[in-house]
């Protein structure tokens, strides 16, 4: 049963979950026609509020995500989730864990959960993530949550994709100063100290508040709050949700919401451009007889590297 891109796009817009899931996979695998379908959907994006949730492995991000889904659903909002598994793409352990953890929402048509394995490829993760976010956005989900482990570039990419970035810390693992070191202060719109049932929680909150005070703690007129949650007991979740919603309202009131959407579009465009250029380069190298042939020509002094780049890329399809 092959359908045209227009038919698939229409099905996704009508909320057909299976077609959407299939499209996400096809985009990932660069199956012909998938990009065209996404092209048709793109003008239906730019409506959802995108929320990033990041933090150390085991900080409780998935448990918190699960509770946030429940809380948003209780307020009548539809929620899409992208859970990014940073571990090996082969084990899939964490993905399975997330599926089980968020299972209670599996029969709810107002919830769509998609897990992604990170890719070794340059920009692979952010491209897949952005695709999934865009499909969920086009489908009309009110909130799209991206769960990712706080590891370097990924969390920065997610921060650039999200309207609101929630950074989860836990007592014992790291303190406020550590957050500062990790560069998390620059990306956090909200801090959550999860596992607040543990003894050191108050100290972490105080330290973090101190660091925020020293650093100003106010970004674009928004005072970055520090909240406490016990995700496993659903404690503090309503307050967290209120804070996220307050931040989103602040963004809308100040026009920053559109600025962040534009930053997301820019990331998407440059990602795709670099990806396309990489593809083009690889194809050109192939047509020229492979890397060794090119290196031989350089060795013989026939041509310099810059001239070779021009030769390879100019006029290439
Ligand atoms: N005591 C306590 N345990 C918690 C709390 N929140 C989560 N946990 C537990 O911490 C463990 C990790 O929780 P996850 O939600 O899987 O954490 P995660 O950040 O999604 O982990 P990764 O996706 O593997 O990075 C689980 O055993 C949870 O039950 C909490 O508030 N208090
Ligand atoms: Mg998780």
């Amino acid at each position: 049963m092959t359908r045209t891109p227009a038919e698939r796009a229409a099905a996704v817009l009508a909320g057909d979950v299976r077609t959407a899931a299939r499209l996400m996979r096809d985009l990932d695998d660069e199956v012909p026609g998938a990009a065209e379908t996404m092209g048709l959907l793109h003008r239906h994006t730019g409506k959802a509020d995108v929320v990033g949730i990041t933090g150390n492995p085991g900080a409780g991000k998935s448990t918190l995500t699960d509770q946030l889904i429940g809380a948003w659903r209780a307020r009548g909002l539809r929620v899409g989730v992208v859970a990014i598994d940073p571990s090996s793409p082969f084990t899939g352990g964490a993905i399975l864990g997330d599926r089980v953890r968020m299972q209670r929402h599996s029969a709810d048509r107002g919830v769509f959960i998609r897990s992604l394995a990170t890719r070794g490829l340059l920009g692979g993760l952010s491209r897949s993530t952005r695709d999934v976010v865009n499909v969920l956005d086009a489908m009309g989900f009110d909130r799209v949550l991206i769960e990712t482990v706080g590891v370097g570039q990924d969390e920065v990419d997610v921060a650039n994709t999200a309207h609101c970035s929630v950074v989860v810390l836990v007592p014992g693992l790291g303190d406020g100063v550590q957050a500062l070191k990790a560069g998390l202060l620059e990306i956090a719109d909200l801090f959550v100290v999860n596992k607040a049932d543990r003894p050191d929680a108050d100290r972490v909150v105080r330290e973090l508040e101190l660091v925020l005070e020293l650093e100003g703690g106010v970004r674009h007129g928004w005072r970055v709050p520090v909240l406490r949650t016990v995700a496993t007991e659903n404690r503090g979740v309503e307050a967290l949700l209120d804070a996220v919603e307050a931040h989103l309202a602040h963004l809308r009131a100040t026009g920053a919401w559109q600025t962040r959407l534009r930053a997301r579009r820019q990331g998407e465009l440059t990602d795709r451009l670099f990806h396309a250029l990489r593809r083009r380069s690889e194809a050109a190298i192939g047509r020229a007889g492979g890397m060794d042939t090119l290196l031989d020509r350089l060795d013989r002094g026939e041509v310099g590297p810059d001239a070779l780049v021009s030769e390879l890329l100019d006029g290439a399809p």
Side-chain angles (χ1 to χ4, degrees):
M1 182 194 61
T2 43
R3 289 182 295 172
T4 64
E7 285 166 346
R8 292 181 82 187
V12 170
L13 288 174
D16 180 342
V17 172
R18 287 181 62 174
T19 305
R22 179 64 192 271
L23 176 62
M24 289 169 186
R25 265 203 314 279
D26 287 355
L27 285 166
D28 222 8
D29 299 338
E30 299 184 58
V31 171
E36 204 183 330
T37 307
M38 194 61 237
L40 295 169
L41 290 174
H42 201 266
R43 66 189 175 86
H44 298 278
T45 67
K47 291 180 298 233
D49 290 291
V50 183
V51 178
I53 179 159
T54 185
N56 284 324
K61 300 177 296 296
S62 296
T63 314
L64 216 43
T65 294
D66 181 60
Q67 303 289 19
L68 285 171
I69 294 171
W72 263 317
R73 291 300 292 140
R75 296 185 188 190
L77 296 171
R78 299 171 66 223
V79 189
V81 177
V82 194
I84 301 161
D85 167 29
S87 59
S88 154
F90 304 109
T91 65
I95 290 180
L96 211 63
D98 281 344
R99 289 234 175 96
V100 172
R101 201 161 292 126
M102 300 177 198
Q103 193 94 59
R104 68 188 175 107
H105 302 293
S106 63
D108 182 352
R109 285 185 56 83
V111 179
F112 188 110
I113 298 167
R114 168 91 176 156
S115 291
L116 293 175
T118 50
R119 298 236 159 157
L121 292 172
L122 185 77
L125 165 68
S126 36
R127 216 177 52 253
S128 311
T129 306
R130 289 189 164 105
D131 281 337
V132 174
V133 169
N134 279 333
V135 173
L136 294 171
D137 190 352
M139 286 176 86
F141 284 96
D142 302 293
R143 303 287 180 271
V144 175
L145 211 104
I146 309 172
E147 178 197 331
T148 186
V149 163
V151 279
Q153 192 53 41
D154 286 353
E155 81 200 8
V156 176
D157 279 351
V158 168
N160 286 335
T161 300
H163 291 104
C164 174
S165 289
V166 178
V167 172
V168 184
L169 301 173
V170 288
L173 262 182
D175 41 306
V177 182
Q178 199 164 327
L180 181 68
K181 274 193 224 127
L184 290 172
L185 278 181
E186 281 85 67
I187 65 156
D189 297 306
L190 274 97
F191 279 105
V192 176
V193 176
N194 187 41
K195 308 200 182 182
D197 50 329
R198 289 198 184 161
D200 264 0
D202 286 341
R203 190 177 58 80
V204 179
V205 171
R206 273 199 309 277
E207 275 179 6
L208 205 52
E209 280 171 345
L210 192 65
V211 172
L212 283 169
E213 214 169 287
L214 293 172
E215 290 294 307
V218 179
R219 294 204 291 129
H220 312 292
W222 169 257
R223 178 170 291 282
V224 177
V226 182
L227 294 117
R228 256 170 258 240
T229 54
V230 183
T232 38
E233 294 165 25
N234 204 17
R235 268 163 54 197
V237 174
E238 282 296 322
L240 170 59
L241 204 73
D242 286 341
V244 169
E245 292 293 327
H247 180 250
L248 293 170
H250 173 83
L251 291 179
R252 280 194 214 94
T254 58
W257 198 94
Q258 285 298 331
T259 311
R260 293 208 180 188
L261 174 61
R262 215 170 154 82
R264 169 175 145 205
R265 300 262 201 251
Q266 183 182 334
E268 190 177 315
L269 190 58
T270 48
D271 255 13
R272 269 161 217 278
L273 195 57
F274 290 155
H275 183 68
L277 284 174
R278 192 190 168 94
R279 276 287 156 90
R280 243 179 88 177
S281 304
E282 284 164 358
I285 292 167
R287 277 196 307 275
M291 188 53 89
D292 278 326
T293 308
L294 296 173
L295 293 174
D296 289 345
R297 287 179 63 198
L298 281 177
D299 279 346
R300 289 196 297 271
E302 274 174 28
V303 64
D306 289 317
L308 204 46
V309 169
S310 303
E311 185 190 310
L312 287 170
L313 291 184
D314 293 348

